[in-house]
Amino acid sequence: MVRTLISIAVTLLLITGVSVYEINHVRETFAIFHEALETLYSKTENETASHEDGKVVRKVWEREKKDLHIWIPHTVIENIDYQLNEMLGYLYEYDFQDALPKIEILLEISEFIPKTYSLSFENIF
């Protein structure tokens, strides 16, 4: 009986610890990505962004997404990759009007995903 209670307590502590780590890691990762996107959005809005600026944002994403495969679905990562590549194509052609909506989509995704992993009433029930 005592061993059972101890194993339940240890399991709950492990699950809680991993959950807290997951929430913080996902939030921090997307905060870094969101910051890079905001900078790119400002440059694109002012029509001073270049293809190289977009490549910098993609490098930030490539670096940050390595650990995310464990925590978020692959389809989300695939969607972000798709939107990034399309945005890069528009920046390559200096088509700022078409690049802006792609960056807006990425900004929304980078705000929405961490909210789905937060401890909130909606996510629990």
Side-chain angles (χ1 to χ4, degrees):
M1 178 76 171
V2 173
R3 287 184 186 176
T4 303
L5 291 175
I6 291 173
S7 66
I8 289 171
V10 168
T11 303
L12 286 175
L13 286 173
L14 282 172
I15 289 173
T16 303
V18 170
S19 297
V20 168
Y21 175 79
E22 172 192 23
I23 291 166
N24 287 330
H25 181 67
V26 169
R27 185 176 354 116
E28 289 171 9
T29 300
F30 277 100
I32 293 167
F33 182 53
H34 188 82
E35 195 174 309
L37 285 168
E38 283 180 333
T39 303
L40 182 62
Y41 187 85
S42 297
K43 284 184 163 187
T44 306
E45 217 173 23
N46 296 329
E47 297 187 356
T48 59
S50 68
H51 185 252
E52 292 302 315
D53 294 324
K55 286 172 115 177
V56 168
V57 172
R58 184 168 62 182
K59 284 181 185 176
V60 168
W61 171 245
E62 292 292 329
R63 185 184 70 232
E64 297 298 325
K65 81 174 183 178
K66 287 181 182 177
D67 298 333
L68 288 178
H69 285 282
I70 299 168
W71 309 111
I72 64 175
H74 182 70
T75 54
V76 172
I77 294 172
E78 190 177 78
N79 186 28
I80 293 172
D81 288 340
Y82 175 77
Q83 299 296 337
L84 265 173
N85 289 331
E86 243 186 275
M87 177 261 313
L88 276 171
Y90 291 132
L91 287 178
Y92 183 77
E93 296 174 355
Y94 295 99
D95 187 355
F96 301 112
Q97 296 306 316
D98 287 335
L100 279 173
K102 294 298 177 184
I103 300 170
E104 288 173 3
I105 290 169
L106 290 165
L107 283 167
E108 287 293 318
I109 290 172
S110 68
E111 286 178 14
F112 176 74
I113 296 298
K115 288 179 184 176
T116 61
Y117 286 87
S118 66
L119 285 176
S120 64
F121 183 77
E122 296 86 19
N123 291 342
I124 295 172
F125 296 104

